């Protein structure tokens, strides 16, 4: 059995916090293993254009996968929402860790900053409040929910985004609850947005551990970090996205939960302006997680999503 492992991670504070979380879990399950973290710079970290321009698929994962294939690292830790549904044949998604809060968060300015908006939810925001978000998925759903708000693009790591908010550049931000919690910034969550109002990204809140497909020793080691119900839920979500086209730039969202030995999957496709929303849900047994995602995607396509996808 291996006694040393190298984790590959992006260099952002959030990515490193997630890598440290995986490192701690590996130590807990295998105390004798030495685990190191190597920082890998990805395309998404270097480019400054909005994600809607450079494309979200693979920009935060490609270089990590190359490091795996080059055997510079043994494990790549990804925010699962960033990992494309189609991964190289020589690699494998060996574990999906227990999911953090998958919801999006409404984040307002600190009380000691410039005078800002006071609200308990997105629906309570004042008319024309400036919202910062870089996500087409969030943007489309927000426009559908509150077309009277003003939306501006937002890039940078979490700390940079919060500084811009507190300096008065935005009235509010929409960030992931999971990221804020992992950074110890739970107090910045002004309100968690319900999944009824805003469906999260596929895999949001979950960490994916990618390895070389032929690395059986590492597979055995990381298996202890795999959370069965999170994996089943994410498999349903990822098969939903894959059936709709995987790398499509249209806003697509999905969220699955496992309850009472059943998987309940909600899915959504919308145009970029949030004017046409196709949404539905499907329930099935635990042994058909991927089939549920495929069936829901096909059901949405029959109800208008195919036309939206064709228009791009």
């Amino acid at each position: 059995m291996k006694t040393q492992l190298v984790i590959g991670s992006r260099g952002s504070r959030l990515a490193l916090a997630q890598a440290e979380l995986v490192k701690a879990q590996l130590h807990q399950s295998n105390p004798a293993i030495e685990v190191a973290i190597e920082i890998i710079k990805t395309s998404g970290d270097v480019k400054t254009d909005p994600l809607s321009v450079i494309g979200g698929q693979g920009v935060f994962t490609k270089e990590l996968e190359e490091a795996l294939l080059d055997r510079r690292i043994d494990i790549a830790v990804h925010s699962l929402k960033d990992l494309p549904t189609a991964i190289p044949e020589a690699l494998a998604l060996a574990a999906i860790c227990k999911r953090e809060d998958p919801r999006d968060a409404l984040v307002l300015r600190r009380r000691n900053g410039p005078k800002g908006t006071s609200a308990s939810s997105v629906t309570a925001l004042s008319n024309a409040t400036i919202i910062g978000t870089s996500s087409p998925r969030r943007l489309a759903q927000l426009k559908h929910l509150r077309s009277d708000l003003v939306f501006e693009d937002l890039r940078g790591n979490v700390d940079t985004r919060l500084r811009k908010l507190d300096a008065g550049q935005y009235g509010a931000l929409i960030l992931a609850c999971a990221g804020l919690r992992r950074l110890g910034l739970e107090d910045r969550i002004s309100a968690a947005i319900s999944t009824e109002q805003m469906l999260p990204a596929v895999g949001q809140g979950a960490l994916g551990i990618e390895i070389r497909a032929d690395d059986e020793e590492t597979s055995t080691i990381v298996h202890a970090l795999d959370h069965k119900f999170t994996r089943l839920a994410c498999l349903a979500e990822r098969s939903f996205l894959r059936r709709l086209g995987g790398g499509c730039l249209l806003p697509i969202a999905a969220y699955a939960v496992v309850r009472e030995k059943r998987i309940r999957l909600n899915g959504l496709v919308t145009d970029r302006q949030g004017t046409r929303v196709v949404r539905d849900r499907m329930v099935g047994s635990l042994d058909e997680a991927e089939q549920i995602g495929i069936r829901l995607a096909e059901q949405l396509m029959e109800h208008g999503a195919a036309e939206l996808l064709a228009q791009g």
Side-chain angles (χ1 to χ4, degrees):
M1 184 65 72
K2 289 184 177 181
T3 58
Q4 294 181 324
L5 287 174
V6 178
I7 295 175
S9 170
R10 294 170 56 204
S12 71
R13 191 159 76 94
L14 176 57
L16 289 173
Q18 293 175 165
E20 289 287 354
L21 180 64
V22 170
K23 178 180 176 179
Q25 292 178 2
L26 287 170
H27 274 309
Q28 185 175 11
S29 60
N30 293 273
I33 294 179
E34 293 183 12
V35 182
I37 296 175
E38 181 173 334
I39 295 175
I40 308 292
K41 187 172 289 187
T42 69
S43 304
D45 298 314
V46 176
K47 295 179 180 178
T48 58
D49 292 325
L51 292 179
S52 57
V53 174
I54 64 176
Q57 285 290 304
V59 296
F60 293 121
T61 61
K62 181 174 179 289
E63 287 78 8
L64 285 164
E65 291 183 328
E66 289 174 349
L68 271 174
L69 294 170
D70 292 342
R71 298 183 179 274
R72 286 182 283 140
I73 61 175
D74 302 296
I75 293 170
V77 175
H78 305 288
S79 291
L80 191 59
K81 66 183 179 63
D82 295 331
L83 186 65
T85 56
I87 64 177
E89 188 175 335
L91 301 178
L93 184 56
I96 300 177
C97 302
K98 186 176 181 180
R99 198 173 210 165
E100 242 296 0
D101 190 334
R103 295 174 294 178
D104 290 302
L106 172 68
V107 182
L108 304 178
R109 293 179 200 152
R110 286 195 184 278
R111 293 183 181 276
N112 59 355
K115 185 178 180 181
T117 301
S118 176
S120 58
S121 67
V122 171
T123 54
L125 288 170
S126 301
N127 180 54
T129 296
I130 298 175
I131 306 294
T133 179
S134 60
S135 163
R137 172 192 60 82
R138 289 171 179 153
L139 181 60
Q141 292 186 82
L142 282 168
K143 285 182 175 180
H144 183 73
L145 187 65
R146 289 288 307 272
S147 60
D148 60 303
L149 300 177
V150 177
F151 304 98
E152 293 190 3
D153 192 66
L154 178 68
R155 284 299 307 272
N157 59 37
V158 173
D159 291 327
T160 299
R161 296 180 184 201
L162 292 175
R163 281 198 299 272
K164 291 178 179 179
L165 170 67
D166 293 337
Q169 294 185 37
Y170 304 92
L173 305 181
I174 308 296
L175 301 174
C177 284
L180 291 168
R181 291 179 186 276
R182 287 176 179 142
L183 287 171
L185 297 171
E186 186 173 352
D187 63 317
R188 295 307 306 260
I189 300 175
S190 303
I193 305 172
S194 75
T195 57
E196 292 301 317
Q197 287 187 325
M198 185 180 295
L199 276 182
V202 166
Q204 184 161 306
L207 298 180
I209 299 179
E210 194 175 20
I211 66 171
R212 289 181 292 277
D214 62 357
D215 191 347
E216 295 182 5
E217 284 189 83
T218 300
S219 177
T220 299
I221 293 168
V222 302
H223 180 72
L225 278 60
D226 192 64
H227 187 257
K228 177 183 176 182
F229 291 161
T230 298
R231 171 178 280 277
L232 290 172
C234 291
L235 283 177
E237 295 168 18
R238 286 170 64 80
S239 68
F240 171 79
L241 178 59
R242 186 184 303 113
R243 181 64 184 88
L244 290 172
C248 175
L249 294 179
L250 274 186
I252 295 174
Y255 177 51
V257 294
V258 176
R259 289 179 186 157
E260 299 173 351
K261 298 183 180 181
R262 305 284 282 176
I263 298 177
R264 293 165 170 79
L265 174 65
N266 280 268
L268 171 152
V269 179
T270 177
D271 62 7
R272 293 183 180 86
Q273 299 305 313
T275 54
R276 296 185 60 191
V277 177
V278 184
R279 177 172 177 163
D280 213 332
R281 66 184 63 191
M282 187 164 288
V283 180
S285 62
L286 299 185
D287 61 357
E288 53 179 357
E290 293 192 77
Q291 290 74 23
I292 293 168
I294 293 169
R295 291 202 300 268
L296 180 59
E298 293 175 345
Q299 183 169 296
L300 262 59
M301 286 192 284
E302 290 176 1
H303 295 163
E307 182 180 350
L308 292 177
L309 293 166
Q311 293 172 356

